[in-house]
Amino acid sequence: AQTVTQSQPEMSVQEAETVTLSCTYDTSESDYYLFWYKQPPSRQMILVIRQEAYKQQNATENRFSVNFQKAAKSFSLKISDSQLGDAAMYFCAYRTGNQFYFGTGTSLTVIP
Amino acid sequence: KAGVTQTPRYLIKTRGQQVTLSCSPISGHRSVSWYQQTPGQGLQFLFEYFSETQRNKGNFPGRFSGRQFSNSRSEMNVSTLELGDSALYLCASSALQAGTDTQYFGPGTRLTVL
């Protein structure tokens, strides 16, 4: 069975600092995609970053980057220079074929 | 392009009733997926439609059903509502059917069952 685990229900970071959110997943597939989604208090889910499993290079989107360790089945999200607008629930997601699995989320608080 | 839209945004029903939720995907997107989000269970996949065909279904009872129209708009129906069906129902669209494409989410429909 494919599962996604986010072991940190809550995290906090000082504004302008860096924070890393962890995610591990379990799969027997070799071809899949990983995502980080952000859900602010307004509830609209927004894509943060995406990683194809066949790519060894870690994806980067401005202040957001991932550390993808395929052998360890780990997919952490690093947010640099944290901003107040980064405060949200962050979901790690895994997709293969027609199935999409989400972790339980990490609530990130940004402290001014 | 306009984003994914869902109607209605809020809905209050009583046990035993049925409800229909609507989702309009991003223009050009042919895949629509539905998710149920609750504090206890998190985000759970309901089903996905592509070109009017259900491609996959999550582990939900038959009371949950859906359909997709030729213009890619999708509806989700829940019959014989139970208190546990209270949740935020999210719709997401993507351009491709295969599981490689990024999904874009709508704002959700908050369903409360009394």
Side-chain angles (χ1 to χ4, degrees):
Chain A
Q2 290 94 345
T3 59
V4 178
T5 302
Q6 293 180 248
S7 59
Q8 308 151 313
E10 297 178 347
M11 292 280 286
S12 62
V13 62
Q14 291 281 351
E15 195 174 2
E17 296 296 309
T18 296
V19 65
T20 299
L21 310 183
S22 66
C23 172
T24 59
Y25 57 94
D26 182 27
T27 183
S28 55
E29 303 289 336
S30 59
D31 187 20
Y32 52 88
Y33 294 76
L34 297 163
F35 306 84
W36 277 98
Y37 282 92
K38 166 186 176 182
Q39 190 176 37
S42 65
R43 310 297 282 187
Q44 183 101 29
M45 193 87 75
I46 304 165
L47 175 69
V48 174
I49 200 164
R50 153 192 163 136
Q51 173 82 43
E52 292 89 343
Y54 64 86
K55 289 187 178 179
Q56 293 186 335
Q57 185 174 5
N58 290 324
T60 299
E61 286 289 339
N62 301 313
R63 298 183 294 107
F64 298 87
S65 62
V66 297
N67 184 6
F68 174 47
Q69 302 290 327
K70 190 172 183 178
K73 298 178 183 175
S74 170
F75 183 61
S76 61
L77 175 70
K78 185 171 83 171
I79 306 174
S80 305
D81 185 27
S82 296
Q83 301 175 359
L84 295 178
D86 295 333
M89 183 73 82
Y90 286 81
F91 291 95
C92 175
Y94 159 96
R95 178 156 186 165
T96 186
N98 292 329
Q99 287 287 358
F100 213 137
Y101 301 91
F102 283 81
T104 52
T106 296
S107 178
L108 178 66
T109 299
V110 180
I111 303 166
Chain B
K1 280 185 180 179
V4 178
T5 58
Q6 292 186 246
T7 57
R9 293 292 309 278
Y10 302 91
L11 207 49
I12 299 175
K13 292 285 187 178
T14 56
R15 279 182 299 173
Q17 287 187 309
Q18 74 166 17
V19 66
T20 299
L21 312 182
S22 180
C23 171
S24 293
I26 291 172
S27 178
H29 283 193
R30 296 166 64 189
S31 171
V32 173
S33 297
W34 288 89
Y35 298 86
Q36 182 194 65
Q37 186 177 25
T38 59
Q41 298 294 323
L43 265 162
Q44 292 186 288
F45 171 74
L46 280 156
F47 31 65
E48 178 180 9
Y49 285 87
F50 182 84
S51 294
E52 303 178 63
T53 301
Q54 188 180 88
R55 305 302 302 187
N56 209 352
K57 193 175 190 300
N59 189 25
F60 277 82
R63 300 185 298 107
F64 291 82
S65 63
R67 59 178 175 169
Q68 187 180 34
F69 302 94
S70 58
N71 62 358
S72 293
R73 189 178 68 86
S74 177
E75 288 183 347
M76 189 191 86
N77 185 74
V78 187
S79 62
T80 318
L81 283 167
E82 300 177 0
L83 294 179
D85 297 333
S86 294
L88 180 69
Y89 289 88
L90 294 170
C91 159
S93 79
S94 59
L96 303 175
Q97 177 266 323
T100 62
D101 203 17
T102 300
Q103 293 190 324
Y104 298 88
F105 285 81
T109 294
R110 169 73 63 188
L111 172 64
T112 302
V113 182
L114 302 176

